[in-house]
Amino acid sequence: MPTPTGSYTSIPALRQVALGVFRAGLQAADPVESVRSCLRSNDADALFAEDRWALLAVGKAARGMALGARSVLSVAPVAGVVVEPKALAASRRSGGDRQPVPVELRSWPLVWRRGSHPLPDRGSQLAARAFERCAATPSDAGGAERFLALLSGGASALLAAPTKNITLADKVRVTELLLRAGASIGELNAVRKHLSRLKGGGLARLVAPRPATVLVLSDVPDDDLSVIGSGPWYPDPSTFAEAEAVLLRHGVYEQAPEAVRERLRRGARGQIAETPKPGDVAFLAIRHQVVATNACSVAAMAAEAERAGFEVAREERPVVGEARDAAEQWILALSPGPPRRVARVSGGETTVTVRGVGRGGRNQELALAFALLAERESERLAGRPWCFLSAGTDGVDGPTDAAGALVDHASLQRCRAAGVDPAAALADNDSYRALAAAGDLLRTGPTGTNVADLQVLLVQPG
């Protein structure tokens, strides 16, 4: 995993511990080891040796998951497609790696495609078409008899297969509207599934009745298989009516493209067939297994904080909702007490309703909001040194080059000394500028994994 970096100037020892705790969370979500361990424990090499099989991998961890499969399976697939983010490929090229395919995978007949995230692009469409061709080729025409699917977060944007009368531009527009409105990942994906040929069980229909083993790296706090990657292999419990309600609830219905509104209206009236639901025969031979989760990473962080000598409190509930509200809950969880080394760790995925014109991401907004609240509620920390980290495990936080931020008790002082008002920046959704001024941005580059976001708070005696 990449080593997080930052231009840190205050209490470096405490901040380095926080970075080490975060790094432990990343390592627990290593896609290579997660897939390797799962396949070995299930004696998958023998299983896949029995049939002609194909590999379908998509998401931010697609490359690592494919490498994990290659390290275990001795029989090569007859076909396969790997779809990863363009940003990940670009970061490798900038580091001197200009080979698009890892050495270990060059002997496998894989098609490599790259798409955009979080908004789909033309590359995402080409990737979806490659997936469809591989999945739809019947076994008696040289296609696969069995599939190994490797699914991770980001798949929704990386596979763009709009339904009839819906364009790529329509999908981009509605996704953008919902992201800016602060829609949850479940709400966003309910809409996506009803505008797509592959999402919401669409891939399962293509391969049925052939069996598929789906290994999942979960970026959803509750590991809901119908939400991860918009559930291309899983029954869809959401409906057209619910998708339409998402647009109305977030006040973006009238701004959505007419083709999108028309499809959702017709679907809600029963004039368009629904996505496949639980009990559909398409899922009879589909088996899912989650190989890495946000909870696993949080547990690894807790263990690392304990090894560093901290008394650890682990937040069992996922951190969700508006980032600023989550920051307030973190502050309220603190209470003055006897001087001791205390750590609090958690994971989840917050949202941001964009009202300003600034730049940032949900983790940056959460960190800046926490710093401001810690200043206001200073008695809860009783003058003790502290630092708070919130970052995305994929290395990406909003439309920025940062994964998140690492703030401490002197962050606001550094920010103001640089001429930036942190409260005004937060009000303008401009957390990136404020955190950059304080030297608190956390940059990892794309990590090659994705199990949502992680947070750690460290407090030590003064």
Side-chain angles (χ1 to χ4, degrees):
M1 290 293 170
T3 299
T5 62
S7 55
Y8 306 131
T9 58
S10 176
I11 51 171
L14 193 60
R15 296 178 73 116
Q16 287 301 322
V17 174
L19 288 171
V21 171
F22 176 63
R23 194 177 297 116
L26 282 182
Q27 290 171 345
D30 179 1
V32 178
E33 184 53 41
S34 297
V35 169
R36 179 189 292 136
S37 176
C38 176
L39 291 176
R40 281 178 174 164
S41 66
N42 287 284
D43 195 22
D45 194 38
L47 175 65
F48 283 89
E50 295 176 356
D51 299 319
R52 293 162 51 89
W53 65 280
L55 177 75
L56 291 173
V58 59
K60 294 180 180 180
R63 177 177 291 232
M65 296 180 81
L67 284 168
R70 178 66 181 86
S71 70
V72 173
L73 302 177
S74 58
V75 178
V78 295
V81 183
V82 179
V83 185
E84 62 180 355
K86 288 179 176 177
L88 191 59
S91 73
R92 291 196 182 94
R93 287 196 297 273
S94 65
D97 176 11
R98 297 187 177 276
Q99 294 293 341
V101 181
V103 172
E104 300 92 330
L105 291 170
R106 291 180 197 169
S107 63
W108 277 11
L110 302 176
V111 174
W112 288 75
R113 292 285 182 266
R114 295 182 177 90
S116 178
H117 183 276
L119 301 176
D121 66 356
R122 176 65 175 163
S124 305
Q125 272 194 307
L126 295 174
R129 289 173 187 172
F131 252 60
E132 285 182 293
R133 284 194 295 270
C134 185
T137 303
S139 55
D140 58 8
E145 298 168 322
R146 176 182 296 273
F147 292 85
L148 174 60
L150 307 175
L151 180 66
S152 55
S156 295
L158 297 175
L159 290 182
T163 53
K164 186 178 180 181
N165 297 328
I166 301 294
T167 67
L168 177 63
D170 291 336
K171 293 197 73 172
V172 169
R173 175 61 176 160
V174 75
T175 301
E176 190 173 41
L177 287 169
L178 289 170
L179 287 172
R180 289 184 63 84
S184 70
I185 187 63
E187 291 175 321
L188 178 59
N189 286 358
V191 175
R192 284 165 157 167
K193 286 185 280 191
H194 288 88
L195 305 176
S196 171
R197 300 191 304 274
L198 299 184
K199 298 175 177 65
L203 268 173
R205 276 185 168 172
L206 273 180
V207 305
R210 294 168 291 175
T213 298
V214 187
L215 304 187
V216 184
L217 203 78
S218 173
D219 68 329
V220 176
D222 58 3
D223 305 326
D224 186 341
L225 292 169
S226 71
V227 175
I228 301 167
S230 294
W233 303 93
Y234 200 77
D236 177 24
S238 70
T239 65
F240 274 106
E242 290 169 351
E244 187 178 40
V246 169
L247 298 181
L248 290 166
R249 183 161 57 249
H250 287 282
V252 298
Y253 186 82
E254 295 301 328
Q255 299 167 262
E258 173 57 30
V260 169
R261 287 181 283 152
E262 175 64 15
R263 177 172 174 81
L264 297 184
R265 277 197 301 265
R266 293 186 62 215
R269 295 172 187 153
Q271 297 171 334
I272 300 176
E274 263 289 359
T275 48
K277 305 302 179 193
D280 194 294
V281 295
F283 304 108
L284 290 177
I286 309 293
R287 299 291 178 267
H288 285 76
Q289 187 163 352
V290 178
V291 299
T293 69
N294 185 265
C296 293
S297 288
V298 173
M301 290 201 306
E304 181 62 24
E306 284 185 353
R307 280 193 290 271
F310 285 80
E311 181 182 319
V312 180
R314 176 179 169 183
E315 179 57 64
E316 299 297 335
R317 294 171 300 175
V319 176
V320 296
E322 281 285 331
R324 299 182 202 187
D325 294 340
E328 187 167 5
Q329 293 305 310
W330 271 84
I331 290 294
L332 294 176
L334 295 172
S335 58
R340 62 188 191 277
R341 306 183 85 201
V342 177
R344 194 172 186 85
V345 296
S346 70
E349 184 171 301
T350 60
T351 58
V352 173
T353 301
V354 180
R355 297 184 176 90
V357 297
R359 186 181 179 208
R362 59 181 182 263
N363 288 289
Q364 294 162 60
E365 184 134 332
L366 173 56
L368 182 58
F370 180 90
L372 285 162
L373 287 166
E375 181 180 64
R376 191 184 75 189
E377 303 282 342
S378 57
E379 73 281 356
R380 292 183 177 274
L381 289 156
R384 292 171 289 175
W386 59 269
C387 67
F388 175 75
L389 181 154
S390 184
T393 53
D394 58 357
V396 179
D397 188 35
T400 76
D401 61 354
L406 174 53
V407 296
D408 61 46
H409 68 278
S411 290
L412 300 185
Q413 180 183 348
R414 295 194 299 274
C415 183
R416 290 170 182 137
V420 178
D421 180 346
L426 182 64
D428 197 31
N429 298 118
D430 203 14
S431 54
Y432 183 92
R433 184 169 67 98
L435 294 163
D440 288 343
L441 290 172
L442 177 62
R443 295 182 175 93
T444 64
T447 63
T449 191
N450 186 19
V451 290
D453 303 334
L454 298 173
Q455 295 86 30
V456 56
L457 170 66
L458 301 179
V459 183
Q460 68 181 21

PDB file of all heavy atoms in Angstrom, residues 53 87 130 201 262 302 314 429 434 453:
ATOM      1  N   TRP A  53     -13.777 -21.375 -17.926  1.00  0.00           N
ATOM      2  CA  TRP A  53     -14.268 -20.264 -17.129  1.00  0.00           C
ATOM      3  C   TRP A  53     -13.748 -18.925 -17.650  1.00  0.00           C
ATOM      4  O   TRP A  53     -12.743 -18.854 -18.360  1.00  0.00           O
ATOM      5  CB  TRP A  53     -13.906 -20.439 -15.648  1.00  0.00           C
ATOM      6  CG  TRP A  53     -12.436 -20.397 -15.337  1.00  0.00           C
ATOM      7  CD1 TRP A  53     -11.535 -21.408 -15.495  1.00  0.00           C
ATOM      8  CD2 TRP A  53     -11.702 -19.282 -14.813  1.00  0.00           C
ATOM      9  NE1 TRP A  53     -10.288 -21.008 -15.108  1.00  0.00           N
ATOM     10  CE2 TRP A  53     -10.355 -19.710 -14.679  1.00  0.00           C
ATOM     11  CE3 TRP A  53     -12.049 -17.989 -14.439  1.00  0.00           C
ATOM     12  CZ2 TRP A  53      -9.356 -18.858 -14.180  1.00  0.00           C
ATOM     13  CZ3 TRP A  53     -11.060 -17.146 -13.949  1.00  0.00           C
ATOM     14  CH2 TRP A  53      -9.731 -17.592 -13.815  1.00  0.00           C
ATOM     15  N   ALA A  87      -7.711   6.967 -13.395  1.00  0.00           N
ATOM     16  CA  ALA A  87      -6.818   7.653 -12.464  1.00  0.00           C
ATOM     17  C   ALA A  87      -5.770   6.713 -11.912  1.00  0.00           C
ATOM     18  O   ALA A  87      -4.616   7.098 -11.699  1.00  0.00           O
ATOM     19  CB  ALA A  87      -7.630   8.257 -11.318  1.00  0.00           C
ATOM     20  N   ALA A 130     -17.535  -4.571 -23.446  1.00  0.00           N
ATOM     21  CA  ALA A 130     -16.633  -5.718 -23.349  1.00  0.00           C
ATOM     22  C   ALA A 130     -17.165  -6.735 -22.347  1.00  0.00           C
ATOM     23  O   ALA A 130     -17.109  -7.950 -22.578  1.00  0.00           O
ATOM     24  CB  ALA A 130     -15.234  -5.250 -22.950  1.00  0.00           C
ATOM     25  N   GLY A 201     -28.632  -6.634 -11.105  1.00  0.00           N
ATOM     26  CA  GLY A 201     -28.859  -8.015 -11.530  1.00  0.00           C
ATOM     27  C   GLY A 201     -28.770  -8.244 -13.018  1.00  0.00           C
ATOM     28  O   GLY A 201     -28.967  -9.376 -13.494  1.00  0.00           O
ATOM     29  N   GLU A 262     -38.777  10.488 -17.888  1.00  0.00           N
ATOM     30  CA  GLU A 262     -39.771   9.700 -18.626  1.00  0.00           C
ATOM     31  C   GLU A 262     -39.619   8.214 -18.334  1.00  0.00           C
ATOM     32  O   GLU A 262     -40.621   7.509 -18.126  1.00  0.00           O
ATOM     33  CB  GLU A 262     -39.627   9.968 -20.121  1.00  0.00           C
ATOM     34  CG  GLU A 262     -40.522   9.114 -21.019  1.00  0.00           C
ATOM     35  CD  GLU A 262     -42.015   9.377 -20.817  1.00  0.00           C
ATOM     36  OE1 GLU A 262     -42.370  10.408 -20.192  1.00  0.00           O
ATOM     37  OE2 GLU A 262     -42.818   8.548 -21.275  1.00  0.00           O
ATOM     38  N   ALA A 302      -7.951  -0.608  15.188  1.00  0.00           N
ATOM     39  CA  ALA A 302      -8.055  -0.703  16.642  1.00  0.00           C
ATOM     40  C   ALA A 302      -6.887  -1.489  17.221  1.00  0.00           C
ATOM     41  O   ALA A 302      -6.296  -1.095  18.243  1.00  0.00           O
ATOM     42  CB  ALA A 302      -9.385  -1.357  17.024  1.00  0.00           C
ATOM     43  N   ARG A 314     -13.861   1.635  19.882  1.00  0.00           N
ATOM     44  CA  ARG A 314     -14.201   1.384  18.481  1.00  0.00           C
ATOM     45  C   ARG A 314     -15.670   1.704  18.251  1.00  0.00           C
ATOM     46  O   ARG A 314     -16.540   1.170  18.946  1.00  0.00           O
ATOM     47  CB  ARG A 314     -13.906  -0.079  18.131  1.00  0.00           C
ATOM     48  CG  ARG A 314     -14.308  -0.474  16.720  1.00  0.00           C
ATOM     49  CD  ARG A 314     -13.954  -1.927  16.457  1.00  0.00           C
ATOM     50  NE  ARG A 314     -14.547  -2.395  15.229  1.00  0.00           N
ATOM     51  CZ  ARG A 314     -14.456  -3.640  14.771  1.00  0.00           C
ATOM     52  NH1 ARG A 314     -13.779  -4.544  15.475  1.00  0.00           N
ATOM     53  NH2 ARG A 314     -15.028  -3.994  13.639  1.00  0.00           N
ATOM     54  N   ASN A 429     -17.933  25.198   1.377  1.00  0.00           N
ATOM     55  CA  ASN A 429     -17.488  23.869   0.920  1.00  0.00           C
ATOM     56  C   ASN A 429     -16.084  23.938   0.331  1.00  0.00           C
ATOM     57  O   ASN A 429     -15.775  23.290  -0.670  1.00  0.00           O
ATOM     58  CB  ASN A 429     -18.449  23.274  -0.108  1.00  0.00           C
ATOM     59  CG  ASN A 429     -19.843  23.041   0.449  1.00  0.00           C
ATOM     60  OD1 ASN A 429     -20.811  23.627  -0.025  1.00  0.00           O
ATOM     61  ND2 ASN A 429     -19.949  22.200   1.464  1.00  0.00           N
ATOM     62  N   ALA A 434      -8.541  25.445   2.910  1.00  0.00           N
ATOM     63  CA  ALA A 434      -8.202  25.658   4.315  1.00  0.00           C
ATOM     64  C   ALA A 434      -7.191  24.631   4.805  1.00  0.00           C
ATOM     65  O   ALA A 434      -6.215  24.965   5.497  1.00  0.00           O
ATOM     66  CB  ALA A 434      -9.471  25.606   5.160  1.00  0.00           C
ATOM     67  N   ASP A 453     -14.460   4.815   3.870  1.00  0.00           N
ATOM     68  CA  ASP A 453     -13.603   5.760   4.581  1.00  0.00           C
ATOM     69  C   ASP A 453     -13.247   5.248   5.968  1.00  0.00           C
ATOM     70  O   ASP A 453     -13.982   4.443   6.561  1.00  0.00           O
ATOM     71  CB  ASP A 453     -14.308   7.113   4.721  1.00  0.00           C
ATOM     72  CG  ASP A 453     -14.718   7.704   3.384  1.00  0.00           C
ATOM     73  OD1 ASP A 453     -14.071   7.363   2.365  1.00  0.00           O
ATOM     74  OD2 ASP A 453     -15.679   8.494   3.352  1.00  0.00           O
TER      75      ASP A 453
END
